[in-house]
Amino acid sequence: MKKVAIFAKVHDPRCLGVAQQLTEWLAQRGVTAKVEDHLSKRLRRPSQTQTVESSEIAQDADLIVVLGGDGTLIAASRMMGEAEVPILAVNLGSLGFLTEITLDELYPSVERCLADDYEVSERMMLLAMVEREGEVIEKHRVLNDVVINKGALARIIDMETSVDSHYLTTFKADGLIVSTPTGSTGYSLSANGPIIHPALECISITPICPHTLTNRPLVVAKDADIDIKLVSGIDEAVFLTLDGQVGVKLVNGDLVKIRRSGHVTRLIQSRSKDYFEVLRTKLKWGER
């Protein structure tokens, strides 16, 4: 590896300090550090450091080191576009279901990556499109989830949902979460959705506070085409939220189309812990 990109939570002084040390550490080993522009403005940069815009962070990079929490990783994965550069996600946040590399593991992990000695977990992504009056007005790729939810003062919303052109039901609820296995431990989990091992390839559909109590989370095939039409019939505040970070206001009649993306996020795995250990630790299973 000759080029390592660094993406960090720029408003966190701890992340900035680690980013500074990492750029210097890479320079001492003759490795070029690519630093996105918002981060670059806050660092003292060694001479061979390259400053790039966020949208170009993955271009020509052999590795991306993400410093922060799960939100920082999710933002980085969206900015990568169609690139599938392996990501070393270092947990400097709080919960961290995805950023399983600890700070103590950072430099040994980077050493192994530079020596091409690492394993990756490929995480499926979703492609979400908003169609209004027959025209696609929004298109986004997500790692975690696509959420339709009502505003604070809005009434229950009606969402006519079909899977592979087969009518499923019209959910009457506060919202609907369509999630990848990676996102199953996010918003979907808090809405009583299933925990899905990230090695599986499937999509979960979880209603948020459904009016019909028999509505339950549903898991469908990885290649399922999910269409959700907003049919509330009244003018109310309804939003589409992508990975909890990008919001789109919807209007009555909008059609949200959700498909499996043709691209994946490649996360470098920790050698000191496995997925079930992460679940036990983060969810405090077995504790009283």
Side-chain angles (χ1 to χ4, degrees), residues 37-113:
D37 52 357
H38 295 95
L39 176 60
S40 179
K41 294 173 184 176
R42 294 168 169 82
L43 300 180
R44 301 184 309 275
R45 300 181 302 279
S47 58
Q48 66 267 48
T49 301
Q50 292 182 0
T51 299
V52 297
E53 293 191 14
S54 299
S55 59
E56 300 174 352
I57 192 71
Q59 290 183 12
D60 301 324
D62 301 306
L63 172 71
I64 297 179
V65 178
V66 174
L67 306 171
D70 284 357
T72 311
L73 169 60
I74 289 168
S77 72
R78 270 204 327 279
M79 291 178 182
M80 287 175 60
E82 298 182 356
E84 296 182 357
V85 179
I87 298 174
L88 182 69
V90 182
N91 184 14
L92 294 173
S94 53
L95 195 55
F97 278 101
L98 304 179
T99 48
E100 59 183 43
I101 305 294
T102 66
L103 182 56
D104 290 340
E105 295 175 301
L106 170 58
Y107 292 103
S109 297
V110 177
E111 287 274 21
R112 285 193 294 270
C113 290

Side-chain angles (χ1 to χ4, degrees), residues 23-275:
T23 56
E24 295 169 356
W25 186 90
L26 291 169
Q28 292 169 4
R29 285 154 181 79
V31 178
T32 298
K34 295 185 62 175
V35 182
E36 61 96 13
D37 52 357
H38 295 95
L39 176 60
S40 179
K41 294 173 184 176
R42 294 168 169 82
L43 300 180
R44 301 184 309 275
R45 300 181 302 279
S47 58
Q48 66 267 48
T49 301
Q50 292 182 0
T51 299
V52 297
E53 293 191 14
S54 299
S55 59
E56 300 174 352
I57 192 71
Q59 290 183 12
D60 301 324
D62 301 306
L63 172 71
I64 297 179
V65 178
V66 174
L67 306 171
D70 284 357
T72 311
L73 169 60
I74 289 168
S77 72
R78 270 204 327 279
M79 291 178 182
M80 287 175 60
E82 298 182 356
E84 296 182 357
V85 179
I87 298 174
L88 182 69
V90 182
N91 184 14
L92 294 173
S94 53
L95 195 55
F97 278 101
L98 304 179
T99 48
E100 59 183 43
I101 305 294
T102 66
L103 182 56
D104 290 340
E105 295 175 301
L106 170 58
Y107 292 103
S109 297
V110 177
E111 287 274 21
R112 285 193 294 270
C113 290
L114 295 180
D116 201 27
D117 179 22
Y118 62 91
E119 295 180 359
V120 299
S121 171
E122 292 192 349
R123 306 296 183 91
M124 70 173 285
M125 303 180 73
L126 297 175
L127 181 65
M129 297 168 284
V130 178
E131 190 174 285
R132 181 172 298 166
E133 297 180 352
E135 180 183 354
V136 175
I137 61 169
E138 296 278 350
K139 182 184 291 187
H140 299 272
R141 188 180 295 110
V142 301
L143 174 61
N144 259 14
D145 51 36
V146 179
V147 180
I148 297 174
N149 52 10
K150 67 184 185 67
L153 301 179
R155 287 176 277 176
I156 283 175
I157 53 179
D158 296 348
M159 297 159 287
E160 184 180 286
T161 305
S162 63
V163 178
D164 291 334
S165 299
H166 299 290
Y167 175 66
L168 173 61
T169 189
T170 297
F171 289 102
K172 296 178 180 292
D174 283 355
L176 197 61
I177 305 167
V178 180
S179 169
T180 65
T182 297
S184 70
T185 50
Y187 192 6
S188 177
L189 180 61
S190 68
N192 292 319
I195 295 176
I196 303 173
H197 193 283
L200 297 175
E201 293 187 321
C202 56
I203 304 171
S204 65
I205 304 172
T206 304
I208 304 170
C209 298
H211 182 67
T212 303
L213 297 181
T214 52
N215 279 147
R216 286 293 179 263
L218 174 67
V219 178
V220 298
K222 61 183 180 182
D223 293 319
D225 291 346
I226 301 170
D227 293 338
I228 306 166
K229 187 174 184 179
L230 189 63
V231 292
S232 295
I234 54 176
D235 185 17
E236 50 189 16
V238 180
F239 298 90
L240 180 73
T241 307
L242 304 137
D243 275 342
Q245 297 180 347
V246 177
V248 178
K249 187 172 182 179
L250 300 177
V251 300
N252 192 56
D254 280 357
L255 180 64
V256 179
K257 295 186 173 183
I258 303 169
R259 310 288 187 259
R260 180 189 186 186
S261 171
H263 300 278
V264 298
T265 294
R266 305 177 70 225
L267 300 181
I268 294 176
Q269 295 179 297
S270 168
R271 292 190 174 181
S272 65
K273 61 180 70 70
D274 58 35
Y275 178 72

